[in-house]
């Protein structure tokens, strides 16, 4: 049964009853001023004629209702999750705390990355190289050196034994064992660049965490286009495979086009045997790479293939040989 219009209310317009008891509030983001809208409580009502006592009780009741509604409004404005169910309240809290963390340790746990735990065995040549082996480092006609450096001495180069290297970076130490039996010219080049300080102060510019799981470094320009101004020969063979714990040289699509850039594999790397493998990564080094991988890729600065600069910066501070 409809109620008659109250004094001061136009004909044919029923009063706005306001929020009904038990009716849930809309689960939407609240406006900036949700409880300052004119008429939110409905049209003002005129009390019927009554005794002073009745009017007093009605007045107290209205006052109490206003106080209760005001308290609920304040709670809803201060704590938006107040009107939500427990599940949605937890979701709101979780989403509000999902911004990238500022510390390296927290950032390292932001992105779940599926990293295999098993190492890939270092490949072996079925036929050993001549020891020593002749190496040459011709000038690169396509680009100038990104950083002034001298090429290694050309000529006979030892093709047996290993060399231990510790790369100190802002993300942690990375230990390497370089194998001359696999790639004598490549090892000689890496050691020469390291001893001349070529890598000092450079940052690793490309991280891949799915499909190709590796960190690429060695370009002073930080673009993937820089090199030492000369090239080194490919030292490849059909049995080459790539995987967790191996380090290999980067190159262009042309043969014998490597220079200073290399990549360290911490997971899967389904690549053809076209990239020179020249050593392995220590357990401590893999822990550093795993941390960087879990920090994620800054895809906005990448090339669109899913790789890009790591969110946890890896800047080379120094390289110790031996």
């Amino acid at each position: 049964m409809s109620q008659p219009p109250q004094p001061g209310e136009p004909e044919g317009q029923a009063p706005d009853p306001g929020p009904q008891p038990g009716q849930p509030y809309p689960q939407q983001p609240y406006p900036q001023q949700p409880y300052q809208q004119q008429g939110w409580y409905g049209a003002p009502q005129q009390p019927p004629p009554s005794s002073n006592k009745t009017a007093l009780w009605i007045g107290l009741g209205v006052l109490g209702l206003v106080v209760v509604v005001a308290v609920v409004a304040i709670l809803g404005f201060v704590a938006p999750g107040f009107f939500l169910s427990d599940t949605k309240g937890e979701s709101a809290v979780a989403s509000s705390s999902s911004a990238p963390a500022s510390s390296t340790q927290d950032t390292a746990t932001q992105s779940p990355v599926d990293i295999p735990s098993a190492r890939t065995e270092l490949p072996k040549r079925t036929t050993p190289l001549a020891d020593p082996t002749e190496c040459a480092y011709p000038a690169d006609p396509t680009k100038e050196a990104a950083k002034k450096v001298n090429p290694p001495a050309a000529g006979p180069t030892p093709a047996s034994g290993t060399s231990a290297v510790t790369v100190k970076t802002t993300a942690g130490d990375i230990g390497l064992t370089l194998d001359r039996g696999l790639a004598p010219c490549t090892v000689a080049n890496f050691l020469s660049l390291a001893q001349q300080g070529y890598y000092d102060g450079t940052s690793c510019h490309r991280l891949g965490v799915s499909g190709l799981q590796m960190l690429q470094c060695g370009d002073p320009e930080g673009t993937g286009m820089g090199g030492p101004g000369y090239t080194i020969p490919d030292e490849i063979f059909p049995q080459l495979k790539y995987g967790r714990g191996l380090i290999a040289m980067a190159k262009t699509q042309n043969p014998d086009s490597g220079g200073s850039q290399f990549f360290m594999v911490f997971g899967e790397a389904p690549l053809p045997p076209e990239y020179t493998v020249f050593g392995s990564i220590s357990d401590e080094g893999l822990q550093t790479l795993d941390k960087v991988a879990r920090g994620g890729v800054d895809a906005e600065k990448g090339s669109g293939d899913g790789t890009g600069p790591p969110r946890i910066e890896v800047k080379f501070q120094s390289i110790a040989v031996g």
Side-chain angles (χ1 to χ4, degrees):
M1 180 175 181
S2 62
Q3 299 294 325
Q6 300 298 319
E9 184 176 341
E11 286 283 341
Q13 177 177 335
D16 183 359
Q20 301 300 315
Q23 179 179 356
Y25 287 79
Q27 298 176 1
Q28 301 175 356
Y30 294 95
Q32 290 183 352
Q33 298 178 330
Y35 302 113
Q36 297 181 10
Q37 300 175 14
Q38 185 176 3
W40 187 82
Y41 292 110
Q45 302 292 314
Q46 295 291 336
S50 179
S51 64
N52 293 338
K53 184 175 180 180
T54 302
L56 176 63
W57 281 110
I58 292 175
L60 291 175
V62 171
L63 178 61
L65 177 62
V66 170
V67 171
V68 170
V69 172
V71 170
V72 172
I74 292 172
L75 285 174
F77 183 74
V78 174
F82 177 76
F83 293 123
L84 303 178
S85 64
D86 291 342
T87 302
K88 294 198 174 184
E90 292 171 1
S91 175
V93 173
S95 63
S96 67
S97 63
S98 62
S102 58
S103 69
T104 297
Q105 182 177 2
D106 291 341
T107 304
T109 61
Q110 289 290 317
S111 304
V113 179
D114 186 11
I115 301 175
S117 58
R119 279 180 169 272
T120 297
E121 186 178 356
L122 193 69
K124 300 292 184 183
R125 287 184 177 273
T126 54
T127 303
L129 295 171
D131 189 10
T133 291
E134 290 290 326
C135 295
Y137 308 93
D140 186 351
T142 65
K143 62 177 72 74
E144 296 182 356
K147 187 175 181 179
K148 187 177 180 180
V149 69
N150 297 318
T157 303
S160 60
T162 61
S163 181
V165 170
T166 301
V167 183
K168 291 191 173 296
T169 82
T170 53
D173 290 354
I174 303 175
L176 305 174
T177 300
L178 310 185
D179 192 329
R180 294 186 181 88
L182 278 177
C185 302
T186 304
V187 171
N189 177 60
F190 186 93
L191 294 176
S192 174
L193 292 172
Q195 291 167 340
Q196 294 182 70
Y198 180 87
Y199 292 124
D200 296 354
T202 66
S203 295
C204 299
H205 63 277
R206 185 182 180 217
L207 173 69
V209 297
S210 62
L212 179 60
Q213 297 180 307
M214 59 84 211
L215 180 67
Q216 186 170 335
C217 315
D219 177 12
E221 295 180 358
T223 63
M225 302 296 292
Y230 61 86
T231 60
I232 65 175
D234 293 337
E235 296 177 287
I236 57 178
F237 48 96
Q239 293 77 25
L240 279 177
K241 292 184 179 180
Y242 310 88
R244 181 172 175 81
L246 300 184
I247 178 172
M249 289 301 297
K251 53 177 285 186
T252 70
Q253 295 179 346
N254 298 322
D256 303 321
S257 57
S260 61
Q261 295 186 44
F262 60 93
F263 59 97
M264 295 176 284
V265 183
F266 56 83
E268 298 178 349
L271 297 169
E274 299 173 359
Y275 304 88
T276 300
V277 174
F278 63 103
S280 59
I281 307 167
S282 68
D283 291 341
E284 181 185 18
L286 285 174
Q287 290 176 5
T288 297
L289 295 176
D290 291 349
K291 177 181 70 174
V292 172
R294 293 189 177 102
V297 176
D298 189 350
E300 292 182 357
K301 298 180 181 179
S303 59
D305 62 352
T307 67
R311 292 188 181 275
I312 299 177
E313 184 182 34
V314 184
K315 178 179 285 188
F316 286 15
Q317 298 171 316
S318 64
I319 299 181
V321 178

